[in-house]
Amino acid sequence: MNERRAENLILRLWRDHVVGFWPILIVALGLMVLEGGTLGVISYLIQPLFDDVFVAGDTSAVTWVALSISGVFLLRAVSGYGQRVLIVSVGLKVTTALQARLVAHLLGLDARYFQDNAPGALIERVRGDTLALQGLASATLMTLGRDTISVISLLSVMIWTDWQWALMALAGVPILIVPLGLLQGVIRTTTRAAREAASRLSTQLDEIFHGIVSIKVNRLEEHESHRFDKEVDGFLAAQLRSERGKAANPAIIDVIAAIGFLAVLIFGGRQIMDGTKTVGEFMSFFTALALVFDPLRRLSAVAGNIQAAMASLERLYSVLEAKATILPPASPKPITPGDVVFEDVSFAYGDTPVLQGLNFTATQGRTTALVGPSGAGKSTVFSLLSRLVDPVSGQITIGGTATGQADLNALRDSLALVGQDSALFDETIAQNIRLGRLDASDAQIRAAAEAASVLDFANTLPLGLDTPVGPRGSGLSGGQRQRVTIARAMLRDAPILLLDEPTSALDARSEQLVTEALARLSKGRTTLVIAHRLSTIRDADLIVVMDKGRAIEQGSHDELMAKRGAYARLQQLQSAGLSAPL
């Protein structure tokens, strides 16, 4: 990442999230100045402590020197506490605002973006990168504000005491400017690699936890453990390279300190012995010199911390710069009830064709079934109809209005989906049903639950509809989850119903209950259903047989059986307990 882009990202972060906190930051800066300046005052007070109290034995000086030093330490304590609280609070507020903005932006992106970016990687962007940025930014702000003042105040004491000693103490600084500059590039590269490794680690954890059942059933625990160990080793190696680069900064400052102390002790020690300088002057200078290298060490690490923060900031803004491609039309048309028509629709993922000139009409208020082998493009039909993706060519109309010209919110409000993977959230049964219509009353939710046979099992639970379903609905059986999804669709009361193999993973009893609920849900609606088991769609008004992205046969069950074509062959194979390509 070049310096110009780095500056632009910092300015964007300031403009988008930080500028509103400038009054608090000004107060924090004032406290930093106080805290940083106290070190210079302490080192200055060392001279009267030694010359007036320890050497001259002036008892009257003891009180004011002791009170002055104690007062400076109290001031340092109060100002240090205040500026840390203010900076950390601003950092946390900026972080949470940035996280909220990232999630809102991600929710507005197309489904394709989530196919190209693993959930774990996105979680690491939203959580890991923002927290890393917050920690580094807070530490960097405090260091720049407090330690810069500390260095200035301590250098002032050193120069005031003896400018020649100050030049000798800092003689090694110019020698190490080039190595420090080169080190920043190393830190930037290694930190970026470490953040990418952390992203891969989060992705693998996400896969493990979501696939735990398959892992256990297939006895893959050891395999997954080894795979995770390998990823952890990669992350460890990358992180260690980054930390080694950061650790080199203070080490270089310590080299400067060694040279400075050596020169001052040799030259200054002789001046004290010959009476040119007092012990108090030397101890004041030596205290300032000893103290100045600690803030210098932290300041030298600031450049590395900034590079590390920039790696996270770049990853965050790469998400924010991603643009949605499914956009609402400039002049949207209303959706009116009517037939769903696919006219010569083609679609491809990259160079891989999925649909090729697909034509069929789903008559309003009737049931249209899509059948065919895996990969025939059936699920893509639903994605196109809901505008999760757009066709490459051709058009899809609902009641004569092309989906690409319809208001996007109105289009999706007209659809209700019940899929084979029940999308439940870690909330109560009632809250999951309410997602169908957020403004629904409790009575409407209960009516939908009764119509979908949810109450049959909910009433047996101690909390009824207020029972938590667990992560991804893990507290319910497959049939129960499907019935909750159906209740949600009933509450939505959309004119078009999309059923994506809703009974494919259910046992016979659950399938019967779900089928009965679906029958009630489908009544009077334009229903498109994807099914592999042909027995479930025998009564469909229209059956569209798909293969390789095309509709190769259309008709009712009896019409297609009379043709003795692909549908009839598939029926025979399923009756024999077999499956094969069309």
Side-chain angles (χ1 to χ4, degrees):
M1 179 175 55
N2 58 45
E3 298 304 321
R4 181 72 175 179
R5 175 163 170 76
E7 293 173 4
N8 288 338
L9 290 180
I10 293 173
L11 287 173
R12 286 179 64 182
L13 180 66
W14 171 265
R15 184 187 66 241
D16 295 344
H17 296 286
V18 182
V19 70
F21 297 102
W22 68 265
I24 298 176
L25 292 175
I26 288 177
V27 174
L29 179 61
L31 294 173
M32 289 178 195
V33 170
L34 287 176
E35 185 186 7
T38 55
L39 287 182
V41 177
I42 290 170
S43 63
Y44 179 78
L45 290 173
I46 294 297
Q47 181 179 347
L49 177 65
F50 274 83
D51 287 344
D52 297 346
V53 177
F54 294 154
V55 176
D58 184 357
T59 56
S60 64
V62 173
T63 302
W64 77 263
V65 171
L67 288 175
S68 297
I69 293 176
S70 298
V72 171
F73 273 108
L74 287 174
L75 178 62
R76 180 176 175 80
V78 172
S79 59
Y81 173 81
Q83 61 99 357
R84 283 174 177 81
V85 170
L86 292 177
I87 290 295
V88 170
S89 65
V90 169
L92 287 172
K93 289 175 182 177
V94 169
T95 297
T96 52
L98 188 55
Q99 288 177 346
R101 182 184 173 193
L102 281 165
V103 170
H105 182 75
L106 284 167
L107 290 173
L109 296 179
D110 306 333
R112 184 61 185 271
Y113 185 85
F114 297 92
Q115 295 171 354
D116 296 336
N117 295 273
L122 296 177
I123 291 171
E124 187 64 26
R125 299 282 179 97
V126 174
R127 291 286 295 167
D129 283 318
T130 53
L131 291 176
L133 178 64
Q134 185 266 325
L136 289 170
S138 296
T140 299
L141 282 174
M142 286 188 283
T143 298
L144 284 173
R146 176 196 61 205
D147 290 338
T148 299
I149 299 300
S150 295
V151 168
I152 292 172
S153 65
L154 291 167
L155 287 177
S156 298
V157 172
M158 291 168 61
I159 294 170
W160 176 265
T161 304
D162 194 304
W163 65 269
Q164 291 178 315
W165 290 359
L167 286 178
M168 284 187 288
L170 302 174
V173 172
I175 303 172
L176 299 175
I177 290 176
V178 173
L180 283 170
L182 294 174
L183 189 59
Q184 305 318 309
V186 174
I187 293 172
R188 180 192 308 171
T189 302
T190 54
T191 302
R192 187 182 297 117
R195 297 307 306 152
E196 293 294 339
S199 178
R200 292 192 296 272
L201 205 60
S202 295
T203 296
Q204 191 165 344
L205 282 172
D206 178 73
E207 291 173 347
I208 289 173
F209 295 146
H210 287 162
I212 191 65
V213 173
S214 297
I215 289 171
K216 288 191 169 297
V217 168
N218 294 288
R219 297 189 299 107
L220 296 174
E221 293 92 342
E222 186 175 352
H223 169 77
E224 289 300 319
S225 180
H226 286 320
R227 198 163 72 96
F228 184 73
D229 287 345
K230 184 178 178 181
E231 203 64 62
V232 166
D233 290 341
F235 167 74
L236 179 61
Q239 189 66 35
L240 285 175
R241 285 193 295 270
S242 175
E243 294 301 326
R244 281 195 292 268
K246 295 176 190 176
N249 266 316
I252 291 175
I253 296 300
D254 286 336
V255 173
I256 301 175
I259 298 171
F261 275 115
L262 177 64
V264 171
L265 282 172
I266 293 174
F267 186 71
R270 291 175 180 174
Q271 289 184 311
I272 293 172
M273 287 185 288
D274 63 20
T276 306
K277 292 289 184 181
T278 67
V279 173
E281 287 175 318
F282 180 81
M283 291 306 299
S284 178
F285 183 91
F286 198 81
T287 300
L289 179 61
L291 291 175
V292 80
F293 284 108
D294 195 37
L296 273 178
R297 190 182 293 110
R298 289 193 293 268
L299 284 171
S300 73
V302 164
N305 289 339
I306 290 174
Q307 296 301 330
M310 291 308 305
S312 292
L313 191 60
E314 183 181 30
R315 284 162 50 83
L316 293 174
Y317 272 98
S318 70
V319 174
L320 292 173
E321 288 169 355
K323 302 296 183 184
T325 58
I326 305 298
L327 302 174
S331 301
K333 297 181 179 179
I335 290 284
T336 56
D339 297 344
V340 176
V341 181
F342 277 67
E343 300 178 52
D344 200 26
V345 173
S346 295
F347 178 77
Y349 284 113
D351 296 329
T352 305
V354 180
L355 297 180
Q356 304 179 66
L358 179 64
N359 290 280
F360 74 86
T361 297
T363 305
Q364 180 185 2
R366 308 220 172 195
T367 297
T368 299
L370 306 177
V371 301
S374 297
K378 303 185 297 297
S379 295
T380 303
V381 169
F382 284 9
S383 296
L384 287 165
L385 186 56
S386 54
R387 280 206 77 195
L388 295 177
V389 292
D390 277 338
V392 174
S393 61
Q395 73 169 1
I396 306 159
T397 60
I398 299 176
T401 300
T403 54
Q405 298 175 347
D407 179 82
L408 190 56
N409 291 332
L411 170 65
R412 290 174 179 169
D413 284 343
S414 69
L415 306 171
L417 172 66
V418 179
Q420 53 186 315
D421 182 18
S422 307
L424 298 189
F425 298 87
D426 191 9
E427 299 186 42
T428 66
I429 295 173
Q431 287 169 328
N432 270 281
I433 295 173
R434 190 186 297 276
L435 295 178
R437 198 170 81 243
L438 296 176
D439 61 349
S441 65
D442 291 343
Q444 290 171 320
I445 290 172
R446 190 167 188 85
E450 183 175 10
S453 300
V454 171
L455 292 182
D456 291 355
F457 69 85
N459 285 337
T460 66
L461 301 174
L463 298 178
L465 290 177
D466 293 324
T467 302
V469 303
R472 295 183 169 232
S474 57
L476 305 178
S477 69
Q480 290 170 342
R481 289 196 297 269
Q482 284 294 60
R483 280 182 273 171
V484 172
T485 306
I486 293 168
R488 180 190 299 168
M490 286 181 167
L491 187 65
R492 190 171 180 79
D493 195 25
I496 301 173
L497 178 62
L498 308 179
L499 306 177
D500 188 357
E501 303 184 64
T503 62
S504 62
L506 304 181
D507 57 58
R509 174 57 181 160
S510 296
E511 181 180 355
Q512 180 184 355
L513 290 171
V514 170
T515 300
E516 291 172 356
L518 287 173
R520 291 191 289 272
L521 175 59
S522 302
K523 189 174 182 180
R525 291 182 170 85
T526 304
T527 304
L528 283 82
V529 55
I530 294 173
H532 278 160
R533 285 187 283 185
L534 302 185
S535 58
T536 62
I537 47 92
R538 292 173 64 95
D539 297 330
D541 298 287
L542 176 68
I543 299 172
V544 180
V545 185
M546 296 180 62
D547 187 32
K548 297 179 180 179
R550 298 180 182 275
I552 58 174
E553 287 184 351
Q554 297 187 42
S556 66
H557 170 77
D558 292 338
E559 290 170 346
L560 293 176
M561 288 299 293
K563 289 183 179 179
R564 300 184 177 275
Y567 180 79
R569 290 195 298 273
L570 193 55
Q571 278 283 2
Q572 291 174 341
L573 289 169
Q574 289 198 2
S575 297
L578 302 172
S579 62
L582 296 177

